[in-house]
């Protein structure tokens, strides 16, 4: 699916009015639906408890309806699936009605073109995120320079860049490539890797200071030899000087025994105590972590990914972090 940034914005406004979406609704273009199968949705919309998939078509066919039915089968949390098009054959309208697939008739001033090649691969995998971070940090650069700097094969780097270009997140100018749609990229990261999916459990603690809790956890885990890594809000505060939040700490703990002991020893009965969310890491977060003001925190790159994974609640913080990251990088 190929759609210009102008048409994307017009489509968002049209859908907000047509579907009665709130101002907090979030739009994710060309998003993966399953970690097991290479199935993607043209557009995913999240709005509170509503989760909508929309297929964008120049003229939908029976294969278009079959694709949407497959998406509905793979994602049981969907509330609605819909076809959006300017031209919808009568037979397809009747079939969609029978299959409980909604039809949205697009206005004439929104242009959508289908591409034969579909982007593949996760943007938030370890290597793909390193490539994205390099682009964010260095600005326009060549694919080969990224490959050499990050020690990732040229073929793999080229595949990630092609994926990003096809999603409208990166533009190629001669031999150079450049991130051009940073917030859509972060929206994609939030949808693909929500931080809540990393969560093992949440407890209330007897601490009334998040910094005290973070320091205590770090000191306790370091002495045990199984360090935990503080991320999200507290890491943003210590790594970027942003995002101070007084009621919640996120930490990674990759050792099962450590997680059990944290739950037992740090649980408290203070209703107003700082909450602690313990996360299961999906990658090596320890080797790139660092000590900062007595707290072991995630790397700046990992912190960006994790705050993106907070979704809407971390959006304003994320924007400030991205600005600070670009400004302070060399």
């Amino acid at each position: 699916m190929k759609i210009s940034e102008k048409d994307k914005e017009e489509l968002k406004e049209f859908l907000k009015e047509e579907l009665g979406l709130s101002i907090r609704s979030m739009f994710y273009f060309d998003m993966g639906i399953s970690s097991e199968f290479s199935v993607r949705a043209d557009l995913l919309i999240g709005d509170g408890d509503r989760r909508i998939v929309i297929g964008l078509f120049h003229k939908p066919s029976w294969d278009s309806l079959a694709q949407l039915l497959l998406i509905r089968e793979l994602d049981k949390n969907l509330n609605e699936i819909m076809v959006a098009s300017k031209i919808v054959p009568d037979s397809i309208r009747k079939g969609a009605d029978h299959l409980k697939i909604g039809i949205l008739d697009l206005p004439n001033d929104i242009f959508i073109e289908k591409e034969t090649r579909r982007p593949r691969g996760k943007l938030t995998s370890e290597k793909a995120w390193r490539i994205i971070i390099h682009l964010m940090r260095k600005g326009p650069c060549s694919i080969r320079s990224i490959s050499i700097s990050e020690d990732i094969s040229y073929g793999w780097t080229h595949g990630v860049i092609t994926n990003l270009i096809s999603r409208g997140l990166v533009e190629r100018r001669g031999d150079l490539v450049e991130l051009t749609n940073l917030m859509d990229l972060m929206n994609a990261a939030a949808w693909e890797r929500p931080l809540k999916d990393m969560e093992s459990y949440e407890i209330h603690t007897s601490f009334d200071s998040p910094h005290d809790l973070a320091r205590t956890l770090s000191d306790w885990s370091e002495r045990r030899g199984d360090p935990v890594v503080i991320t999200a809000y507290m890491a943003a505060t210590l790594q970027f000087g942003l995002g101070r939040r007084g009621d919640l700490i996120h930490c990674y703990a990759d050792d099962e025994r450590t997680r059990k002991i944290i739950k037992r020893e740090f649980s408290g009965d203070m209703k107003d105590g700082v909450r602690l969310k313990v996360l299961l890491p999906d990658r090596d977060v320890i080797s790139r972590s660092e000590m900062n003001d007595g707290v072991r925190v995630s790397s700046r790159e990992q912190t960006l990914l994790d705050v993106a994974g907070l979704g809407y609640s971390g959006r304003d913080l994320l924007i400030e972090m991205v600005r600070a990251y670009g400004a302070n990088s060399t």
Side-chain angles (χ1 to χ4, degrees), residues 160-187:
V160 171
I161 296 297
T162 300
N163 187 349
L164 291 165
I165 291 172
S166 65
R167 293 173 185 246
L169 304 174
V170 162
E171 289 185 4
R172 184 193 295 272
R173 298 186 177 96
D175 291 334
L176 304 181
V177 290
E178 180 181 9
L179 276 174
T180 54
N181 200 333
L182 196 53
M183 289 320 297
D184 272 4
L185 169 62
M186 291 302 175
N187 286 340

Side-chain angles (χ1 to χ4, degrees), residues 22-41:
S22 75
I23 59 173
R24 293 191 172 189
S25 55
M26 300 180 71
F27 296 78
Y28 308 94
F29 288 89
D30 194 30
M31 293 304 300
I33 291 294
S34 168
S35 59
E36 185 176 359
F37 304 104
S38 297
V39 177
R40 312 189 73 82

